[in-house]
């Protein structure tokens, strides 16, 4: 395989980057940033026409201001068809499509795409993990693909 193909493969398997859509404050803090709920959006890196929105709690205060706070494991995900669905290639049965830090080093918010082959549906599961113990808190959403068969890796 040539270098260009390897680079393209690496880019396609990299989790998406999110952009902040908005936020609301949940706790007022006089001299430091407020606690808040943030809404971020990202496009599925392997499926054109599918966008996901993740809402999650972000801790404010002085630790939050300098990036040392541990954010709570409370979040939601909603993925929707936002255009014509086009697959950039065959999909694995399960693939991480989003990852973002939720603490200084050891905790992450993740979104994993799981293909429901029988129903021809893309499901997206969000959860958090930590180096020692993760959280059972999670959320799920699904996007039905009605006009074509989802191409699967063998």
């Amino acid at each position: 395989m040539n270098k260009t193909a390897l680079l393209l493969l690496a880019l396609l398997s990299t989790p998406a980057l999110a952009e902040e859509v908005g936020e609301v404050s949940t706790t007022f803090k006089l001299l430091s940033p407020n606690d808040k709920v943030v809404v971020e959006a990202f496009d599925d890196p392997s499926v054109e026409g599918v966008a996901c929105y993740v809402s999650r709690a972000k801790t404010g205060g002085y630790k939050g201001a300098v990036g040392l706070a541990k954010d709570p494991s409370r979040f939601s995900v909603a993925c929707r068809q936002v255009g014509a669905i086009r697959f950039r290639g065959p999909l694995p049965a399960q693939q991480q499509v989003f990852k973002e830090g939720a603490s200084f080093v050891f905790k992450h918010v993740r979104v994993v795409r799981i293909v429901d082959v029988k129903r021809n549906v893309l499901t997206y599961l969000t959860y958090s993990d930590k180096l020692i113990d993760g959280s059972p808190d999670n959320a799920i959403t699904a996007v039905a693909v009605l006009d074509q068969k989802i191409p699967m890796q063998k």
Side-chain angles (χ1 to χ4, degrees):
M1 195 177 278
N2 66 30
K3 289 181 183 180
T4 304
L6 286 173
L7 178 61
L8 182 59
L9 184 61
L11 288 173
L12 291 177
S13 64
T14 302
L17 298 174
E19 60 185 87
E20 189 172 312
V21 175
E23 65 180 49
V24 294
S25 292
T26 58
T27 305
F28 175 75
K29 299 193 182 282
L30 184 61
L31 299 175
S32 61
N34 295 342
D35 294 338
K36 56 191 167 186
V37 174
V38 176
V39 176
E40 298 169 315
F42 69 91
D43 298 316
D44 186 316
S46 298
V47 184
E48 291 180 39
V50 174
C52 296
Y53 297 85
V54 176
S55 66
R56 62 191 190 103
K58 289 191 92 167
T59 303
Y62 294 111
K63 285 185 177 180
V66 295
L68 296 176
K70 184 173 87 171
D71 293 334
S73 297
R74 292 187 295 269
F75 30 74
S76 179
V77 64
C79 297
R80 299 293 183 264
Q81 182 176 348
V82 295
I85 291 181
R86 291 189 192 93
F87 297 95
R88 293 190 169 108
L91 300 180
Q94 181 172 311
Q95 180 180 21
Q96 179 177 283
V97 295
F98 176 77
K99 175 183 169 185
E100 187 166 281
S103 74
F104 180 59
V105 177
F106 300 115
K107 184 176 179 183
H108 298 93
V109 174
R110 298 179 188 270
V111 177
V112 173
R113 180 192 342 96
I114 302 169
V115 180
D116 179 350
V117 176
K118 179 179 177 182
R119 294 166 189 82
N120 208 47
V121 170
L122 303 169
T123 63
Y124 296 84
L125 171 70
T126 185
Y127 66 99
S128 72
D129 65 357
K130 283 194 314 189
L131 185 61
I132 304 300
D133 59 341
S135 170
D137 293 340
N138 64 80
I140 192 167
T141 188
V143 176
V145 180
L146 302 175
D147 63 344
Q148 61 188 301
K149 190 79 173 143
I150 298 171
M152 298 297 297
Q153 288 180 354
K154 302 224 186 266

